PDB file of all heavy atoms in Angstrom:
ATOM      1  N   ALA A   1      99.467  96.956  99.042  1.00 96.00           N
ATOM      2  CA  ALA A   1     100.520  97.548  99.878  1.00 96.00           C
ATOM      3  C   ALA A   1     100.616  96.842 101.222  1.00 96.00           C
ATOM      4  O   ALA A   1     101.720  96.502 101.681  1.00 96.00           O
ATOM      5  CB  ALA A   1     100.247  99.033 100.080  1.00 96.00           C
ATOM      6  N   PHE A   2      99.478  96.602 101.862  1.00 95.00           N
ATOM      7  CA  PHE A   2      99.498  95.916 103.155  1.00 95.00           C
ATOM      8  C   PHE A   2      99.936  94.464 103.010  1.00 95.00           C
ATOM      9  O   PHE A   2     100.576  93.916 103.907  1.00 95.00           O
ATOM     10  CB  PHE A   2      98.146  96.004 103.847  1.00 95.00           C
ATOM     11  CG  PHE A   2      97.830  97.379 104.367  1.00 95.00           C
ATOM     12  CD1 PHE A   2      96.598  97.946 104.153  1.00 95.00           C
ATOM     13  CD2 PHE A   2      98.776  98.115 105.068  1.00 95.00           C
ATOM     14  CE1 PHE A   2      96.305  99.219 104.619  1.00 95.00           C
ATOM     15  CE2 PHE A   2      98.503  99.384 105.536  1.00 95.00           C
ATOM     16  CZ  PHE A   2      97.257  99.938 105.315  1.00 95.00           C
ATOM     17  N   GLY A   3      99.600  93.829 101.904  1.00 93.00           N
ATOM     18  CA  GLY A   3     100.074  92.475 101.661  1.00 93.00           C
ATOM     19  C   GLY A   3     101.578  92.427 101.541  1.00 93.00           C
ATOM     20  O   GLY A   3     102.243  91.554 102.111  1.00 93.00           O
ATOM     21  N   THR A   4     102.129  93.375 100.812  1.00 94.00           N
ATOM     22  CA  THR A   4     103.581  93.439 100.661  1.00 94.00           C
ATOM     23  C   THR A   4     104.253  93.729 101.999  1.00 94.00           C
ATOM     24  O   THR A   4     105.254  93.089 102.352  1.00 94.00           O
ATOM     25  CB  THR A   4     103.963  94.523  99.633  1.00 94.00           C
ATOM     26  OG1 THR A   4     103.317  94.220  98.398  1.00 94.00           O
ATOM     27  CG2 THR A   4     105.459  94.583  99.431  1.00 94.00           C
ATOM     28  N   LEU A   5     103.711  94.680 102.748  1.00 94.00           N
ATOM     29  CA  LEU A   5     104.282  94.994 104.066  1.00 94.00           C
ATOM     30  C   LEU A   5     104.165  93.809 105.016  1.00 94.00           C
ATOM     31  O   LEU A   5     105.080  93.550 105.807  1.00 94.00           O
ATOM     32  CB  LEU A   5     103.588  96.212 104.668  1.00 94.00           C
ATOM     33  CG  LEU A   5     103.869  97.544 103.973  1.00 94.00           C
ATOM     34  CD1 LEU A   5     103.017  98.647 104.590  1.00 94.00           C
ATOM     35  CD2 LEU A   5     105.338  97.890 104.066  1.00 94.00           C
ATOM     36  N   GLY A   6     103.066  93.080 104.937  1.00 91.00           N
ATOM     37  CA  GLY A   6     102.899  91.901 105.788  1.00 91.00           C
ATOM     38  C   GLY A   6     103.896  90.812 105.460  1.00 91.00           C
ATOM     39  O   GLY A   6     104.471  90.178 106.362  1.00 91.00           O
ATOM     40  N   ILE A   7     104.128  90.588 104.184  1.00 90.00           N
ATOM     41  CA  ILE A   7     105.111  89.577 103.780  1.00 90.00           C
ATOM     42  C   ILE A   7     106.513  89.990 104.212  1.00 90.00           C
ATOM     43  O   ILE A   7     107.294  89.161 104.693  1.00 90.00           O
ATOM     44  CB  ILE A   7     105.025  89.326 102.264  1.00 90.00           C
ATOM     45  CG1 ILE A   7     103.728  88.590 101.943  1.00 90.00           C
ATOM     46  CG2 ILE A   7     106.220  88.527 101.768  1.00 90.00           C
ATOM     47  CD1 ILE A   7     103.438  88.431 100.472  1.00 90.00           C
ATOM     48  N   VAL A   8     106.829  91.275 104.079  1.00 91.00           N
ATOM     49  CA  VAL A   8     108.139  91.761 104.531  1.00 91.00           C
ATOM     50  C   VAL A   8     108.273  91.590 106.042  1.00 91.00           C
ATOM     51  O   VAL A   8     109.329  91.180 106.536  1.00 91.00           O
ATOM     52  CB  VAL A   8     108.347  93.235 104.113  1.00 91.00           C
ATOM     53  CG1 VAL A   8     109.546  93.844 104.808  1.00 91.00           C
ATOM     54  CG2 VAL A   8     108.489  93.336 102.609  1.00 91.00           C
ATOM     55  N   ALA A   9     107.199  91.878 106.787  1.00 89.00           N
ATOM     56  CA  ALA A   9     107.247  91.715 108.244  1.00 89.00           C
ATOM     57  C   ALA A   9     107.463  90.253 108.620  1.00 89.00           C
ATOM     58  O   ALA A   9     108.248  89.954 109.530  1.00 89.00           O
ATOM     59  CB  ALA A   9     105.952  92.238 108.865  1.00 89.00           C
ATOM     60  N   ILE A  10     106.798  89.347 107.928  1.00 85.00           N
ATOM     61  CA  ILE A  10     106.998  87.922 108.214  1.00 85.00           C
ATOM     62  C   ILE A  10     108.427  87.515 107.873  1.00 85.00           C
ATOM     63  O   ILE A  10     109.047  86.723 108.592  1.00 85.00           O
ATOM     64  CB  ILE A  10     105.973  87.060 107.452  1.00 85.00           C
ATOM     65  CG1 ILE A  10     104.568  87.307 108.003  1.00 85.00           C
ATOM     66  CG2 ILE A  10     106.315  85.578 107.579  1.00 85.00           C
ATOM     67  CD1 ILE A  10     103.471  86.629 107.210  1.00 85.00           C
ATOM     68  N   MET A  11     108.981  88.062 106.794  1.00 85.00           N
ATOM     69  CA  MET A  11     110.372  87.749 106.441  1.00 85.00           C
ATOM     70  C   MET A  11     111.337  88.232 107.515  1.00 85.00           C
ATOM     71  O   MET A  11     112.317  87.550 107.834  1.00 85.00           O
ATOM     72  CB  MET A  11     110.742  88.375 105.097  1.00 85.00           C
ATOM     73  CG  MET A  11     110.175  87.685 103.922  1.00 85.00           C
ATOM     74  SD  MET A  11     110.734  88.516 102.432  1.00 85.00           S
ATOM     75  CE  MET A  11     110.031  87.460 101.191  1.00 85.00           C
ATOM     76  N   ILE A  12     111.083  89.418 108.060  1.00 86.00           N
ATOM     77  CA  ILE A  12     111.951  89.943 109.113  1.00 86.00           C
ATOM     78  C   ILE A  12     111.844  89.078 110.364  1.00 86.00           C
ATOM     79  O   ILE A  12     112.855  88.753 110.997  1.00 86.00           O
ATOM     80  CB  ILE A  12     111.604  91.416 109.413  1.00 86.00           C
ATOM     81  CG1 ILE A  12     112.005  92.292 108.223  1.00 86.00           C
ATOM     82  CG2 ILE A  12     112.273  91.890 110.695  1.00 86.00           C
ATOM     83  CD1 ILE A  12     111.517  93.711 108.312  1.00 86.00           C
ATOM     84  N   ILE A  13     110.626  88.686 110.710  1.00 82.00           N
ATOM     85  CA  ILE A  13     110.435  87.823 111.877  1.00 82.00           C
ATOM     86  C   ILE A  13     111.102  86.471 111.641  1.00 82.00           C
ATOM     87  O   ILE A  13     111.761  85.930 112.529  1.00 82.00           O
ATOM     88  CB  ILE A  13     108.926  87.648 112.174  1.00 82.00           C
ATOM     89  CG1 ILE A  13     108.339  88.965 112.669  1.00 82.00           C
ATOM     90  CG2 ILE A  13     108.699  86.535 113.190  1.00 82.00           C
ATOM     91  CD1 ILE A  13     106.838  88.979 112.752  1.00 82.00           C
ATOM     92  N   ALA A  14     110.938  85.927 110.435  1.00 80.00           N
ATOM     93  CA  ALA A  14     111.499  84.613 110.129  1.00 80.00           C
ATOM     94  C   ALA A  14     113.020  84.646 110.097  1.00 80.00           C
ATOM     95  O   ALA A  14     113.664  83.646 110.412  1.00 80.00           O
ATOM     96  CB  ALA A  14     110.958  84.108 108.791  1.00 80.00           C
ATOM     97  N   SER A  15     113.619  85.766 109.731  1.00 78.00           N
ATOM     98  CA  SER A  15     115.083  85.824 109.660  1.00 78.00           C
ATOM     99  C   SER A  15     115.711  85.802 111.045  1.00 78.00           C
ATOM    100  O   SER A  15     116.833  85.344 111.209  1.00 78.00           O
ATOM    101  CB  SER A  15     115.535  87.064 108.896  1.00 78.00           C
ATOM    102  OG  SER A  15     115.234  88.232 109.643  1.00 78.00           O
ATOM    103  N   GLY A  16     115.012  86.287 112.045  1.00 76.00           N
ATOM    104  CA  GLY A  16     115.548  86.295 113.396  1.00 76.00           C
ATOM    105  C   GLY A  16     115.205  85.039 114.178  1.00 76.00           C
ATOM    106  O   GLY A  16     115.660  84.851 115.299  1.00 76.00           O
ATOM    107  N   ASP A  17     114.404  84.164 113.601  1.00 67.00           N
ATOM    108  CA  ASP A  17     113.976  82.950 114.282  1.00 67.00           C
ATOM    109  C   ASP A  17     115.058  81.879 114.170  1.00 67.00           C
ATOM    110  O   ASP A  17     115.483  81.524 113.079  1.00 67.00           O
ATOM    111  CB  ASP A  17     112.673  82.452 113.661  1.00 67.00           C
ATOM    112  CG  ASP A  17     111.982  81.418 114.535  1.00 67.00           C
ATOM    113  OD1 ASP A  17     112.461  81.170 115.644  1.00 67.00           O
ATOM    114  OD2 ASP A  17     110.956  80.879 114.086  1.00 67.00           O
ATOM    115  N   ILE A  18     115.489  81.382 115.304  1.00 65.00           N
ATOM    116  CA  ILE A  18     116.547  80.372 115.317  1.00 65.00           C
ATOM    117  C   ILE A  18     115.987  78.991 114.995  1.00 65.00           C
ATOM    118  O   ILE A  18     116.649  78.173 114.381  1.00 65.00           O
ATOM    119  CB  ILE A  18     117.266  80.354 116.690  1.00 65.00           C
ATOM    120  CG1 ILE A  18     117.902  81.715 116.932  1.00 65.00           C
ATOM    121  CG2 ILE A  18     118.306  79.250 116.757  1.00 65.00           C
ATOM    122  CD1 ILE A  18     118.474  81.889 118.313  1.00 65.00           C
ATOM    123  N   THR A  19     114.762  78.738 115.397  1.00 67.00           N
ATOM    124  CA  THR A  19     114.169  77.427 115.150  1.00 67.00           C
ATOM    125  C   THR A  19     113.919  77.238 113.666  1.00 67.00           C
ATOM    126  O   THR A  19     113.960  78.176 112.876  1.00 67.00           O
ATOM    127  CB  THR A  19     112.838  77.287 115.911  1.00 67.00           C
ATOM    128  OG1 THR A  19     111.919  78.247 115.405  1.00 67.00           O
ATOM    129  CG2 THR A  19     113.025  77.481 117.395  1.00 67.00           C
ATOM    130  N   SER A  20     113.639  76.042 113.287  1.00 65.00           N
ATOM    131  CA  SER A  20     113.419  75.744 111.874  1.00 65.00           C
ATOM    132  C   SER A  20     111.924  75.731 111.549  1.00 65.00           C
ATOM    133  O   SER A  20     111.451  74.859 110.828  1.00 65.00           O
ATOM    134  CB  SER A  20     114.055  74.399 111.519  1.00 65.00           C
ATOM    135  OG  SER A  20     113.445  73.380 112.294  1.00 65.00           O
ATOM    136  N   PHE A  21     111.172  76.688 112.094  1.00 73.00           N
ATOM    137  CA  PHE A  21     109.742  76.777 111.820  1.00 73.00           C
ATOM    138  C   PHE A  21     109.545  77.244 110.383  1.00 73.00           C
ATOM    139  O   PHE A  21     110.191  78.189 109.936  1.00 73.00           O
ATOM    140  CB  PHE A  21     109.078  77.757 112.795  1.00 73.00           C
ATOM    141  CG  PHE A  21     107.593  77.821 112.648  1.00 73.00           C
ATOM    142  CD1 PHE A  21     106.803  76.781 113.087  1.00 73.00           C
ATOM    143  CD2 PHE A  21     106.987  78.912 112.075  1.00 73.00           C
ATOM    144  CE1 PHE A  21     105.428  76.839 112.964  1.00 73.00           C
ATOM    145  CE2 PHE A  21     105.622  78.981 111.933  1.00 73.00           C
ATOM    146  CZ  PHE A  21     104.835  77.935 112.388  1.00 73.00           C
ATOM    147  N   ASN A  22     108.654  76.600 109.680  1.00 80.00           N
ATOM    148  CA  ASN A  22     108.426  76.900 108.270  1.00 80.00           C
ATOM    149  C   ASN A  22     107.354  77.987 108.138  1.00 80.00           C
ATOM    150  O   ASN A  22     106.194  77.767 108.491  1.00 80.00           O
ATOM    151  CB  ASN A  22     107.998  75.626 107.550  1.00 80.00           C
ATOM    152  CG  ASN A  22     107.970  75.800 106.060  1.00 80.00           C
ATOM    153  OD1 ASN A  22     108.341  76.843 105.545  1.00 80.00           O
ATOM    154  ND2 ASN A  22     107.540  74.773 105.367  1.00 80.00           N
ATOM    155  N   TYR A  23     107.742  79.150 107.636  1.00 79.00           N
ATOM    156  CA  TYR A  23     106.812  80.266 107.463  1.00 79.00           C
ATOM    157  C   TYR A  23     106.171  80.304 106.072  1.00 79.00           C
ATOM    158  O   TYR A  23     105.407  81.212 105.784  1.00 79.00           O
ATOM    159  CB  TYR A  23     107.541  81.602 107.705  1.00 79.00           C
ATOM    160  CG  TYR A  23     107.827  81.868 109.154  1.00 79.00           C
ATOM    161  CD1 TYR A  23     109.037  81.503 109.725  1.00 79.00           C
ATOM    162  CD2 TYR A  23     106.881  82.486 109.963  1.00 79.00           C
ATOM    163  CE1 TYR A  23     109.301  81.748 111.053  1.00 79.00           C
ATOM    164  CE2 TYR A  23     107.136  82.730 111.289  1.00 79.00           C
ATOM    165  CZ  TYR A  23     108.348  82.360 111.836  1.00 79.00           C
ATOM    166  OH  TYR A  23     108.598  82.611 113.154  1.00 79.00           O
ATOM    167  N   THR A  24     106.481  79.363 105.217  1.00 82.00           N
ATOM    168  CA  THR A  24     105.981  79.375 103.844  1.00 82.00           C
ATOM    169  C   THR A  24     104.456  79.422 103.764  1.00 82.00           C
ATOM    170  O   THR A  24     103.913  80.176 102.949  1.00 82.00           O
ATOM    171  CB  THR A  24     106.530  78.163 103.070  1.00 82.00           C
ATOM    172  OG1 THR A  24     107.947  78.179 103.153  1.00 82.00           O
ATOM    173  CG2 THR A  24     106.111  78.212 101.622  1.00 82.00           C
ATOM    174  N   PRO A  25     103.708  78.663 104.585  1.00 86.00           N
ATOM    175  CA  PRO A  25     102.250  78.767 104.496  1.00 86.00           C
ATOM    176  C   PRO A  25     101.722  80.171 104.811  1.00 86.00           C
ATOM    177  O   PRO A  25     100.721  80.598 104.239  1.00 86.00           O
ATOM    178  CB  PRO A  25     101.748  77.764 105.531  1.00 86.00           C
ATOM    179  CG  PRO A  25     102.853  76.798 105.685  1.00 86.00           C
ATOM    180  CD  PRO A  25     104.105  77.584 105.478  1.00 86.00           C
ATOM    181  N   PHE A  26     102.415  80.881 105.682  1.00 84.00           N
ATOM    182  CA  PHE A  26     102.000  82.249 105.991  1.00 84.00           C
ATOM    183  C   PHE A  26     102.216  83.172 104.791  1.00 84.00           C
ATOM    184  O   PHE A  26     101.394  84.033 104.501  1.00 84.00           O
ATOM    185  CB  PHE A  26     102.751  82.788 107.215  1.00 84.00           C
ATOM    186  CG  PHE A  26     102.410  82.084 108.487  1.00 84.00           C
ATOM    187  CD1 PHE A  26     103.350  81.310 109.128  1.00 84.00           C
ATOM    188  CD2 PHE A  26     101.135  82.173 109.033  1.00 84.00           C
ATOM    189  CE1 PHE A  26     103.044  80.653 110.298  1.00 84.00           C
ATOM    190  CE2 PHE A  26     100.803  81.517 110.199  1.00 84.00           C
ATOM    191  CZ  PHE A  26     101.763  80.747 110.836  1.00 84.00           C
ATOM    192  N   TYR A  27     103.341  83.002 104.106  1.00 87.00           N
ATOM    193  CA  TYR A  27     103.598  83.788 102.897  1.00 87.00           C
ATOM    194  C   TYR A  27     102.520  83.542 101.854  1.00 87.00           C
ATOM    195  O   TYR A  27     101.970  84.469 101.267  1.00 87.00           O
ATOM    196  CB  TYR A  27     104.951  83.424 102.259  1.00 87.00           C
ATOM    197  CG  TYR A  27     106.178  83.736 103.061  1.00 87.00           C
ATOM    198  CD1 TYR A  27     107.220  82.835 103.117  1.00 87.00           C
ATOM    199  CD2 TYR A  27     106.315  84.944 103.718  1.00 87.00           C
ATOM    200  CE1 TYR A  27     108.367  83.119 103.835  1.00 87.00           C
ATOM    201  CE2 TYR A  27     107.454  85.228 104.438  1.00 87.00           C
ATOM    202  CZ  TYR A  27     108.475  84.314 104.492  1.00 87.00           C
ATOM    203  OH  TYR A  27     109.600  84.599 105.194  1.00 87.00           O
ATOM    204  N   ILE A  28     102.263  82.278 101.613  1.00 90.00           N
ATOM    205  CA  ILE A  28     101.288  81.912 100.577  1.00 90.00           C
ATOM    206  C   ILE A  28      99.886  82.377 100.964  1.00 90.00           C
ATOM    207  O   ILE A  28      99.155  82.938 100.139  1.00 90.00           O
ATOM    208  CB  ILE A  28     101.319  80.395 100.325  1.00 90.00           C
ATOM    209  CG1 ILE A  28     102.669  80.007  99.721  1.00 90.00           C
ATOM    210  CG2 ILE A  28     100.174  79.972  99.414  1.00 90.00           C
ATOM    211  CD1 ILE A  28     102.888  78.517  99.623  1.00 90.00           C
ATOM    212  N   GLY A  29      99.514  82.185 102.212  1.00 92.00           N
ATOM    213  CA  GLY A  29      98.179  82.588 102.663  1.00 92.00           C
ATOM    214  C   GLY A  29      97.960  84.088 102.607  1.00 92.00           C
ATOM    215  O   GLY A  29      96.945  84.570 102.102  1.00 92.00           O
ATOM    216  N   LEU A  30      98.922  84.826 103.113  1.00 91.00           N
ATOM    217  CA  LEU A  30      98.806  86.285 103.106  1.00 91.00           C
ATOM    218  C   LEU A  30      98.832  86.834 101.690  1.00 91.00           C
ATOM    219  O   LEU A  30      98.035  87.711 101.328  1.00 91.00           O
ATOM    220  CB  LEU A  30      99.928  86.913 103.939  1.00 91.00           C
ATOM    221  CG  LEU A  30      99.887  88.429 104.097  1.00 91.00           C
ATOM    222  CD1 LEU A  30      98.619  88.833 104.837  1.00 91.00           C
ATOM    223  CD2 LEU A  30     101.104  88.912 104.846  1.00 91.00           C
ATOM    224  N   GLY A  31      99.725  86.303 100.881  1.00 91.00           N
ATOM    225  CA  GLY A  31      99.800  86.758  99.488  1.00 91.00           C
ATOM    226  C   GLY A  31      98.540  86.415  98.710  1.00 91.00           C
ATOM    227  O   GLY A  31      98.019  87.252  97.963  1.00 91.00           O
ATOM    228  N   ALA A  32      98.039  85.202  98.884  1.00 94.00           N
ATOM    229  CA  ALA A  32      96.825  84.796  98.170  1.00 94.00           C
ATOM    230  C   ALA A  32      95.631  85.656  98.585  1.00 94.00           C
ATOM    231  O   ALA A  32      94.834  86.068  97.737  1.00 94.00           O
ATOM    232  CB  ALA A  32      96.525  83.324  98.418  1.00 94.00           C
ATOM    233  N   PHE A  33      95.514  85.923  99.876  1.00 95.00           N
ATOM    234  CA  PHE A  33      94.374  86.727 100.328  1.00 95.00           C
ATOM    235  C   PHE A  33      94.467  88.167  99.831  1.00 95.00           C
ATOM    236  O   PHE A  33      93.538  88.682  99.216  1.00 95.00           O
ATOM    237  CB  PHE A  33      94.282  86.723 101.862  1.00 95.00           C
ATOM    238  CG  PHE A  33      93.181  87.596 102.379  1.00 95.00           C
ATOM    239  CD1 PHE A  33      91.866  87.198 102.280  1.00 95.00           C
ATOM    240  CD2 PHE A  33      93.464  88.828 102.936  1.00 95.00           C
ATOM    241  CE1 PHE A  33      90.843  88.008 102.737  1.00 95.00           C
ATOM    242  CE2 PHE A  33      92.458  89.648 103.397  1.00 95.00           C
ATOM    243  CZ  PHE A  33      91.135  89.235 103.297  1.00 95.00           C
ATOM    244  N   CYS A  34      95.597  88.807 100.092  1.00 94.00           N
ATOM    245  CA  CYS A  34      95.725  90.235  99.745  1.00 94.00           C
ATOM    246  C   CYS A  34      95.722  90.462  98.238  1.00 94.00           C
ATOM    247  O   CYS A  34      94.972  91.286  97.727  1.00 94.00           O
ATOM    248  CB  CYS A  34      96.980  90.813 100.368  1.00 94.00           C
ATOM    249  SG  CYS A  34      96.884  90.929 102.154  1.00 94.00           S
ATOM    250  N   TYR A  35      96.564  89.730  97.527  1.00 95.00           N
ATOM    251  CA  TYR A  35      96.650  89.949  96.090  1.00 95.00           C
ATOM    252  C   TYR A  35      95.439  89.373  95.361  1.00 95.00           C
ATOM    253  O   TYR A  35      95.011  89.907  94.340  1.00 95.00           O
ATOM    254  CB  TYR A  35      97.954  89.370  95.537  1.00 95.00           C
ATOM    255  CG  TYR A  35      99.168  89.995  96.170  1.00 95.00           C
ATOM    256  CD1 TYR A  35     100.169  89.212  96.716  1.00 95.00           C
ATOM    257  CD2 TYR A  35      99.306  91.367  96.241  1.00 95.00           C
ATOM    258  CE1 TYR A  35     101.286  89.780  97.305  1.00 95.00           C
ATOM    259  CE2 TYR A  35     100.406  91.942  96.831  1.00 95.00           C
ATOM    260  CZ  TYR A  35     101.392  91.149  97.362  1.00 95.00           C
ATOM    261  OH  TYR A  35     102.488  91.725  97.947  1.00 95.00           O
ATOM    262  N   GLY A  36      94.861  88.312  95.879  1.00 96.00           N
ATOM    263  CA  GLY A  36      93.666  87.739  95.270  1.00 96.00           C
ATOM    264  C   GLY A  36      92.462  88.667  95.385  1.00 96.00           C
ATOM    265  O   GLY A  36      91.727  88.877  94.412  1.00 96.00           O
ATOM    266  N   THR A  37      92.263  89.236  96.576  1.00 96.00           N
ATOM    267  CA  THR A  37      91.136  90.154  96.729  1.00 96.00           C
ATOM    268  C   THR A  37      91.370  91.448  95.941  1.00 96.00           C
ATOM    269  O   THR A  37      90.412  92.055  95.463  1.00 96.00           O
ATOM    270  CB  THR A  37      90.867  90.473  98.213  1.00 96.00           C
ATOM    271  OG1 THR A  37      92.051  90.991  98.814  1.00 96.00           O
ATOM    272  CG2 THR A  37      90.391  89.245  98.957  1.00 96.00           C
ATOM    273  N   SER A  38      92.619  91.853  95.799  1.00 96.00           N
ATOM    274  CA  SER A  38      92.930  93.024  94.962  1.00 96.00           C
ATOM    275  C   SER A  38      92.562  92.758  93.508  1.00 96.00           C
ATOM    276  O   SER A  38      91.966  93.611  92.836  1.00 96.00           O
ATOM    277  CB  SER A  38      94.410  93.382  95.047  1.00 96.00           C
ATOM    278  OG  SER A  38      94.741  93.807  96.325  1.00 96.00           O
ATOM    279  N   ALA A  39      92.910  91.580  93.026  1.00 95.00           N
ATOM    280  CA  ALA A  39      92.576  91.218  91.645  1.00 95.00           C
ATOM    281  C   ALA A  39      91.063  91.141  91.450  1.00 95.00           C
ATOM    282  O   ALA A  39      90.543  91.593  90.428  1.00 95.00           O
ATOM    283  CB  ALA A  39      93.228  89.891  91.280  1.00 95.00           C
ATOM    284  N   ILE A  40      90.360  90.605  92.425  1.00 95.00           N
ATOM    285  CA  ILE A  40      88.897  90.530  92.331  1.00 95.00           C
ATOM    286  C   ILE A  40      88.292  91.930  92.308  1.00 95.00           C
ATOM    287  O   ILE A  40      87.370  92.207  91.533  1.00 95.00           O
ATOM    288  CB  ILE A  40      88.325  89.685  93.480  1.00 95.00           C
ATOM    289  CG1 ILE A  40      88.724  88.221  93.281  1.00 95.00           C
ATOM    290  CG2 ILE A  40      86.817  89.827  93.578  1.00 95.00           C
ATOM    291  CD1 ILE A  40      88.427  87.334  94.474  1.00 95.00           C
ATOM    292  N   ALA A  41      88.806  92.838  93.146  1.00 94.00           N
ATOM    293  CA  ALA A  41      88.296  94.216  93.167  1.00 94.00           C
ATOM    294  C   ALA A  41      88.522  94.899  91.822  1.00 94.00           C
ATOM    295  O   ALA A  41      87.644  95.608  91.310  1.00 94.00           O
ATOM    296  CB  ALA A  41      88.953  95.016  94.282  1.00 94.00           C
ATOM    297  N   LEU A  42      89.698  94.691  91.225  1.00 94.00           N
ATOM    298  CA  LEU A  42      89.968  95.293  89.914  1.00 94.00           C
ATOM    299  C   LEU A  42      89.103  94.669  88.824  1.00 94.00           C
ATOM    300  O   LEU A  42      88.669  95.358  87.902  1.00 94.00           O
ATOM    301  CB  LEU A  42      91.448  95.155  89.567  1.00 94.00           C
ATOM    302  CG  LEU A  42      92.388  95.999  90.421  1.00 94.00           C
ATOM    303  CD1 LEU A  42      93.836  95.688  90.076  1.00 94.00           C
ATOM    304  CD2 LEU A  42      92.104  97.475  90.251  1.00 94.00           C
ATOM    305  N   LEU A  43      88.828  93.375  88.935  1.00 94.00           N
ATOM    306  CA  LEU A  43      87.950  92.714  87.972  1.00 94.00           C
ATOM    307  C   LEU A  43      86.523  93.248  88.086  1.00 94.00           C
ATOM    308  O   LEU A  43      85.882  93.539  87.066  1.00 94.00           O
ATOM    309  CB  LEU A  43      87.977  91.200  88.200  1.00 94.00           C
ATOM    310  CG  LEU A  43      87.174  90.357  87.233  1.00 94.00           C
ATOM    311  CD1 LEU A  43      87.759  90.462  85.826  1.00 94.00           C
ATOM    312  CD2 LEU A  43      87.148  88.912  87.686  1.00 94.00           C
ATOM    313  N   ILE A  44      86.046  93.404  89.306  1.00 92.00           N
ATOM    314  CA  ILE A  44      84.706  93.974  89.511  1.00 92.00           C
ATOM    315  C   ILE A  44      84.652  95.384  88.954  1.00 92.00           C
ATOM    316  O   ILE A  44      83.689  95.772  88.293  1.00 92.00           O
ATOM    317  CB  ILE A  44      84.346  93.960  91.011  1.00 92.00           C
ATOM    318  CG1 ILE A  44      84.103  92.526  91.473  1.00 92.00           C
ATOM    319  CG2 ILE A  44      83.118  94.833  91.288  1.00 92.00           C
ATOM    320  CD1 ILE A  44      83.959  92.389  92.965  1.00 92.00           C
ATOM    321  N   ARG A  45      85.698  96.154  89.197  1.00 91.00           N
ATOM    322  CA  ARG A  45      85.749  97.528  88.689  1.00 91.00           C
ATOM    323  C   ARG A  45      85.720  97.555  87.168  1.00 91.00           C
ATOM    324  O   ARG A  45      84.990  98.346  86.565  1.00 91.00           O
ATOM    325  CB  ARG A  45      87.011  98.218  89.202  1.00 91.00           C
ATOM    326  CG  ARG A  45      87.116  99.665  88.820  1.00 91.00           C
ATOM    327  CD  ARG A  45      88.360 100.280  89.442  1.00 91.00           C
ATOM    328  NE  ARG A  45      88.380 101.697  89.245  1.00 91.00           N
ATOM    329  CZ  ARG A  45      88.978 102.305  88.222  1.00 91.00           C
ATOM    330  NH1 ARG A  45      89.589 101.599  87.307  1.00 91.00           N
ATOM    331  NH2 ARG A  45      88.951 103.617  88.117  1.00 91.00           N
ATOM    332  N   ALA A  46      86.476  96.670  86.526  1.00 92.00           N
ATOM    333  CA  ALA A  46      86.514  96.642  85.062  1.00 92.00           C
ATOM    334  C   ALA A  46      85.165  96.230  84.478  1.00 92.00           C
ATOM    335  O   ALA A  46      84.686  96.832  83.511  1.00 92.00           O
ATOM    336  CB  ALA A  46      87.601  95.686  84.594  1.00 92.00           C
ATOM    337  N   ILE A  47      84.536  95.223  85.057  1.00 91.00           N
ATOM    338  CA  ILE A  47      83.224  94.780  84.573  1.00 91.00           C
ATOM    339  C   ILE A  47      82.190  95.869  84.788  1.00 91.00           C
ATOM    340  O   ILE A  47      81.363  96.137  83.914  1.00 91.00           O
ATOM    341  CB  ILE A  47      82.816  93.468  85.274  1.00 91.00           C
ATOM    342  CG1 ILE A  47      83.723  92.332  84.814  1.00 91.00           C
ATOM    343  CG2 ILE A  47      81.363  93.139  85.010  1.00 91.00           C
ATOM    344  CD1 ILE A  47      83.565  91.047  85.608  1.00 91.00           C
TER     345      ILE A  47
END
């Protein structure tokens, strides 16, 4: 949930940004961390 909210917040910030700053690494980093650790927690739980 926090990963999704964080990505949405970055999208809102990026939409108002006039400069051509690339936010893609932030999307990938936040998504990989949040969703990756979620998957690891579920894997640990299943094992």
Side-chain angles (χ1 to χ4, degrees):
F2 288 134
T4 303
L5 291 175
I7 290 173
V8 168
I10 292 173
M11 285 181 176
I12 291 171
I13 291 170
S15 68
D17 195 5
I18 299 172
T19 63
S20 61
F21 184 73
N22 190 4
Y23 286 93
T24 305
F26 294 113
Y27 295 138
I28 294 171
L30 184 63
F33 177 75
C34 291
Y35 300 128
T37 56
S38 294
I40 291 170
L42 291 175
L43 183 65
I44 289 171
R45 184 177 188 267
I47 292 170

